[in-house]
Amino acid sequence: MIWFGLLMLAGLAIAAPFLREAMKPAMTDHLRKDAPGDFVTLSRGKTHYRWLGATRGPVAVCVHGLTTPCFVWHGIAAGLGKLGYRVLVYDLYGRGYSDRPDGPQDSAFFITQLEELLEDQGIAGDFTLVGYSMGGAIATAFAALHPEQLRALVLIAPAGLGHDLGRLAERVAQGGPLAQWLMLSGFPRSFRKGCEAERHLPSSVPGIVDLQQAQLRYRGFVPAVARSISGMVSEDLTEEHADIAKTRLPVLAIWAREDTIIPLRSMARLAEINRSARQEVIEGAGHGLTYTHSEEVLRAMRDLMRD
């Protein structure tokens, strides 16, 4: 009987993270009814998007990162709007108000979402693509495939040339059932702790810590992050950067001096691969520079965006 009881407890411990995930509310039209912006049904599900900034002018398309949906761009979008840009932001699958489809979340998965959204919005070319963190990796992969569509590529603390997401992410990147269990059981607490560490910092996105943590309430968010860690985030984009370097596409990379997630050594790697890429470092900034140091990021972008 003792062994049976121990086995039952062990089974419950193993099942608990999966049960908690299954009990979370799914992202449905009911939850979307008060969402800002609009929705479009693409091949893998609904995608939430917003147009911000100016009502006329050149287009900038912004791709967010691993865990923070498109609200991360609000400060940057306001600044780009003052420069005369129409700014398209959207939620990657698995985040924000977008659907949570199953399957791998690699470069092909995210490029297809972006391609279909651009087609739906009638954006055929001559736009600036801006990517932050994992969004920088997505933007890089897209630019390597479609350099002729872009007027410029802006990468803010981009993944794809090395990262340090911690020991949990290293195990999750290997995939498999154990990785899923570790992610569901360990990531929420780690994510909350990381968000809380930024609560005292200034932000161009009001209440961003609470907005970030709210993502944990909904079914599919944590599994999506896990799939992206083993997919998009783990891809080495050296070849893609090399392909971009062969084109005449202007590239600006912006890094954060105190970034512990995307190490500054990636800056040196990019310089070796693409010598024509312009690079800037934001002093005193960590990985959240898009919202903690929006003005500095915009200042670094200004010359390129005015060309």
Side-chain angles (χ1 to χ4, degrees):
M1 291 296 293
I2 294 176
W3 285 109
F4 178 76
L6 291 174
L7 287 172
M8 287 290 291
L9 289 174
L12 286 173
I14 293 171
F18 295 97
L19 292 173
R20 283 196 298 269
E21 177 66 20
M23 292 174 65
K24 293 178 181 179
M27 183 52 60
T28 62
D29 289 343
H30 175 71
L31 290 173
R32 294 181 175 117
K33 62 184 176 62
D34 296 323
D38 296 285
F39 293 87
V40 59
T41 300
L42 305 178
S43 62
R44 298 300 302 274
K46 287 188 176 180
T47 291
H48 170 241
Y49 68 92
R50 294 185 71 184
W51 280 99
L52 303 170
T55 56
R56 294 184 179 183
V59 172
V61 179
C62 298
V63 189
H64 69 75
L66 179 65
T67 59
T68 307
C70 69
F71 56 71
V72 76
W73 291 114
H74 289 184
I76 298 294
L80 292 177
K82 292 178 181 177
L83 293 175
Y85 276 81
R86 299 171 59 219
V87 184
L88 176 63
V89 302
Y90 68 102
D91 289 335
L92 296 171
Y93 289 131
R95 288 89 174 161
Y97 292 105
S98 289
D99 276 344
R100 279 94 162 112
D102 291 330
Q105 294 196 3
D106 53 12
S107 56
F109 174 81
F110 288 117
I111 287 173
T112 299
Q113 183 187 21
L114 179 52
E115 289 173 336
E116 292 178 353
L117 178 61
L118 293 173
E119 181 179 4
D120 178 79
Q121 294 299 296
I123 304 172
D126 195 34
F127 66 94
T128 298
L129 185 58
V130 186
Y132 164 52
S133 193
M134 184 182 77
I138 296 168
T140 298
F142 180 94
L145 282 177
H146 306 292
E148 75 287 347
Q149 294 188 24
L150 303 182
R151 70 187 324 186
L153 174 66
V154 179
L155 305 173
I156 305 172
L161 293 172
H163 62 79
D164 185 8
L165 291 175
R167 295 171 64 182
L168 174 61
E170 289 177 6
R171 180 60 189 85
V172 170
Q174 299 173 25
L178 177 58
Q180 295 176 33
W181 184 86
L182 287 170
M183 191 70 178
L184 288 171
S185 60
F187 175 76
R189 182 177 182 180
S190 174
F191 183 59
R192 290 190 184 96
K193 182 179 179 181
C195 291
E196 286 298 331
E198 292 188 338
R199 191 176 286 278
H200 69 286
L201 298 177
S203 175
S204 61
V205 182
I208 190 167
V209 170
D210 295 327
L211 289 171
Q212 288 172 318
Q213 293 182 4
Q215 296 299 300
L216 294 169
R217 300 174 189 166
Y218 303 110
R219 191 189 313 163
F221 170 70
V222 175
V225 173
R227 293 188 184 104
S228 291
I229 290 173
S230 62
M232 187 76 254
V233 174
S234 295
E235 293 186 25
D236 185 334
L237 299 182
T238 299
E239 290 187 11
E240 285 77 2
H241 280 289
D243 289 340
I244 293 169
K246 296 173 185 176
T247 72
R248 305 180 74 176
L249 180 66
V251 176
L252 168 64
I254 303 172
W255 310 90
R257 178 70 70 185
E258 308 301 328
D259 197 335
T260 59
I261 295 174
I262 302 296
L264 204 56
R265 63 178 178 271
S266 296
M267 180 180 179
R269 283 198 65 196
L270 180 57
E272 293 176 358
I273 303 166
N274 187 351
R275 294 186 179 182
S276 64
R278 178 182 151 205
Q279 304 204 66
E280 301 284 346
V281 178
I282 306 300
E283 300 294 337
H287 192 64
L289 72 167
T290 52
Y291 49 91
T292 63
H293 290 71
S294 299
E295 287 302 319
E296 292 89 339
V297 171
L298 285 163
R299 197 175 302 124
M301 295 171 64
R302 199 156 285 145
D303 289 344
L304 178 70
M305 303 303 279
R306 283 175 173 166
D307 288 345

